[in-house]
Amino acid sequence: MYRKFLNARSPLRLLEKGLHGGLGRGNLGVVLAGHGVGKTSFLVCVGLDELLRGEPVLHVTLDQTVPHLRAFYDTVFD
């Protein structure tokens, strides 16, 4: 129940509505912004939203270490 509550109230529902239901299967989304704007935080929230929906997530980063990225997920889970 808590999982459904969080998903229903996620700000990502507004993004999906603006995209008419999301990107759709097989499409690729790109997040571009300047340094320190919050791209990693945004993508962690997207990943956690999918995890709460029971979907698999693969988060790839090219310039951060695994412990650094893991700290983002751990902070949100806590």
Side-chain angles (χ1 to χ4, degrees):
M1 169 115 174
Y2 188 67
R3 186 181 288 191
K4 287 182 182 181
F5 175 82
L6 287 175
N7 268 315
R9 286 153 184 80
S10 172
L12 293 173
R13 299 298 79 77
L14 295 174
L15 180 61
E16 286 176 349
K17 186 176 180 182
L19 294 171
H20 306 289
L23 290 176
R25 210 177 246 328
N27 293 310
L28 177 68
V30 178
V31 177
L32 297 170
H35 178 74
V37 174
K39 297 176 295 291
T40 299
S41 298
F42 171 74
L43 291 172
V44 166
C45 288
V46 170
L48 288 173
D49 187 71
E50 290 300 309
L51 287 171
L52 289 172
R53 290 173 158 198
E55 297 294 328
V57 172
L58 174 63
H59 191 139
V60 177
T61 180
L62 301 176
D63 64 343
Q64 295 174 350
T65 65
V66 171
H68 180 78
L69 187 58
R70 177 70 189 260
F72 276 93
Y73 281 91
D74 289 342
T75 299
V76 175
F77 270 126
D78 287 342

